[in-house]
Amino acid sequence: MADKKHILCIGAGYVGGPTMAMIAAKCPDYTVTVADINEERIAAWNSDTLPIYEPGLDALVKQCRGKNLFFTADAISAIRDAYIIFVSVNTPTKRFGTGAGKAANLQYWERCARIIAENADGPRIVVEKSTLPVRAAEMIHKILQANSNGFEFHVLSNPEFLAEGTAIKDLENPDRVLIGSMRTPDGHEAMQTLVDIYARWVPREKILTTNVWSSEMSKLIANAMLAQRISSMNSVSALCERTGADVREVSRAVGMDSRIGAKFLRPGVGFGGSCFKKDILNLVYLCETYNLPEVAAYWEQVVKMNEYQERRFAERIVRSMFNTISGKNITMFGFAFKADTGDTRESPAIYIAKMLLEENANLTIYDPKALENAKKDLDGYENVRFCNDPYEAAKDAHAVAVVTEWQEFAEYDYRKIFSLMAKPAFIFDGRNILDHNALFELGFEVYPLGCQELTHLK
């Protein structure tokens, strides 16, 4: 029989692993199990080298693992033991059939729901932790009930709002915890069970309770709004380059307006990660489904602007290097979609790298945490090498392109890097983290993002 103080999470990825580690640390009287069909991933969670990099995660896992935190590939046994079951499996964009390219593919979620129903020996609380389209809970509840043995299942929505690179801090001190339930007495009781768990360390006023549809919608809109701010500033960066304005000064001036705020106003080569693009396209499909074409077109433009920014950065490299990079050596500093993570899912670096390779460049990639994922992302491409040392990566390069905002990139010895490079030596700062004037004085041809270039080539 299930233990009401036994929690299971199906899915040992970037959300499931860290979230369950935090719950285990804050609720030592609960048993927390993380299950995944990927045995290699589970083995890594049980080793000294975790399958994902996240500051603070390693210490948190080691604190609880083997005590009240366990990782297993045996999901069936874990379902029988656990009363609360989080599901944090992948919900990629559909690549086939109706809604292809926009709608969420829910086949993994449906598979989990059927397995839960078939193996549960009593009532269960099933928690949506994956990002799901609005009203997915209704579908999940119907599947659970249709395949159950007469037991009641309660479906809750508890979307994650983690930022990779600060996930542990976000879990420990969240802006809010959102829990949505069905508007029934049993639904409220199930919701209170989850509220009580989070209330162990999160102030009650930060735990928001809604109906399940509002919870599902809130996750999509939060990601869409953040991505919209990034795309807005990226569009401004293109205008600044043409007019002589400095996007950094514009961003600072706009961000000091209390009605707007400064967060997510830094331009870059584009947003990446597993959520933003997928969730916006899901929102677009939802709007189209409800016959709201104008609303759908509005949000789709956020994705189109992001793709434009990636393309614009690569095209600027080609144009600035005398309209050809064929046979030239380009070094990319960074491949992760953001700093402090090894995650490369939907990273702008993937698309920029492919564009440069299509121009017949020789590409060298350095990233402190993402090289193994980069190798997978560029598998099959020729004229690309992966380097574990930034100075070795810059040797004989005609250009260095900063694609990820790792702090260490700003701390390198650029006098040494300049001496190693072919001349003229170009730097394209896609994150505006370098000292551009100092680089220019060293002899570099400097191309910041959203600012006029500093070049000796007149």
Side-chain angles (χ1 to χ4, degrees), residues 315-349:
E315 289 174 349
R316 193 183 192 201
I317 292 174
V318 176
R319 186 175 63 253
S320 303
M321 297 180 70
F322 317 113
N323 289 309
T324 179
I325 56 172
S326 180
K328 293 178 181 176
N329 302 321
I330 311 294
T331 295
M332 287 177 61
F333 278 174
F335 207 85
F337 84 90
K338 64 181 291 188
D340 296 319
T341 180
D343 194 355
T344 63
R345 289 175 293 176
E346 292 294 339
S347 175

Side-chain angles (χ1 to χ4, degrees), residues 29-325:
D29 52 326
Y30 276 75
T31 299
V32 181
T33 301
V34 183
D36 199 295
I37 60 172
N38 187 327
E39 294 185 3
E40 183 178 340
R41 179 181 293 173
I42 290 297
W45 278 110
N46 284 316
S47 74
D48 291 331
T49 305
L50 301 185
I52 63 175
Y53 172 74
E54 189 67 41
L57 177 61
D58 189 67
L60 192 66
V61 169
K62 289 180 178 177
Q63 172 188 334
C64 304
R65 190 175 59 197
K67 298 174 184 174
N68 70 324
L69 176 64
F70 304 92
F71 298 91
T72 180
D74 183 3
I76 304 301
S77 296
I79 289 169
R80 292 172 182 150
D81 293 338
Y83 178 65
I84 302 171
I85 303 174
F86 289 81
V87 181
S88 183
V89 296
N90 195 18
T91 53
T93 302
K94 280 186 73 176
R95 300 299 177 195
F96 57 88
T98 303
K102 293 177 182 176
N105 184 346
L106 301 181
Q107 63 175 318
Y108 305 115
W109 234 108
E110 180 171 342
R111 201 174 298 166
C112 282
R114 292 180 184 277
I115 292 172
I116 290 169
E118 290 166 5
N119 291 280
D121 57 0
R124 296 291 189 277
I125 296 173
V126 178
V127 185
E128 297 177 343
K129 202 62 181 170
S130 309
T131 302
L132 294 171
V134 179
R135 302 201 74 86
E138 186 175 38
M139 174 271 290
I140 293 164
H141 188 262
K142 288 177 180 178
I143 292 170
L144 287 167
Q145 290 302 129
N147 290 275
S148 72
N149 294 312
F151 304 121
E152 184 65 29
F153 291 93
H154 305 290
V155 179
L156 303 178
S157 170
N158 176 219
E160 55 85 15
F161 296 100
L162 307 180
E164 288 185 42
T166 60
I168 301 306
K169 291 181 181 178
D170 295 341
L171 285 164
E172 189 151 34
N173 185 27
D175 290 336
R176 77 295 202 195
V177 170
L178 181 58
I179 304 172
S181 72
M182 304 288 188
R183 293 303 200 197
T184 64
D186 286 348
H188 282 286
E189 184 178 343
M191 180 171 63
Q192 189 59 48
T193 299
L194 195 54
V195 167
D196 291 342
I197 290 171
Y198 280 110
R200 294 286 189 98
W201 77 96
V202 179
R204 184 61 185 83
E205 61 271 17
K206 285 189 173 185
I207 303 175
L208 307 182
T209 56
T210 68
N211 73 51
V212 69
W213 326 126
S214 296
S215 178
E216 291 174 335
M217 179 70 83
S218 296
K219 170 60 177 176
L220 291 180
I221 299 304
N223 280 348
M225 294 289 283
L226 293 176
Q228 180 195 55
R229 287 172 69 92
I230 296 171
S231 281
S232 294
M233 284 310 299
N234 284 344
S235 72
V236 171
S237 72
L239 186 60
C240 287
E241 289 169 19
R242 297 288 182 89
T243 60
D246 188 320
V247 74
R248 296 166 298 185
E249 295 174 346
V250 173
S251 175
R252 183 167 179 264
V254 171
M256 290 183 72
D257 189 320
S258 60
R259 298 167 300 174
I260 299 171
K263 290 185 177 181
F264 283 79
L265 289 186
R266 289 185 59 185
V269 292
F271 57 72
S274 63
C275 289
F276 280 1
K277 181 178 179 180
K278 174 175 69 73
D279 289 355
I280 295 169
L281 292 175
N282 194 340
L283 180 60
V284 170
Y285 180 69
L286 184 68
C287 294
E288 291 173 343
T289 300
Y290 285 97
N291 195 28
L292 297 169
E294 293 84 1
V295 182
Y298 176 84
W299 288 110
E300 191 168 18
Q301 188 59 37
V302 174
V303 174
K304 290 181 178 179
M305 181 55 62
N306 193 59
E307 293 169 348
Y308 164 74
Q309 186 76 343
E310 295 166 348
R311 184 172 65 252
R312 195 174 75 83
F313 184 73
E315 289 174 349
R316 193 183 192 201
I317 292 174
V318 176
R319 186 175 63 253
S320 303
M321 297 180 70
F322 317 113
N323 289 309
T324 179
I325 56 172

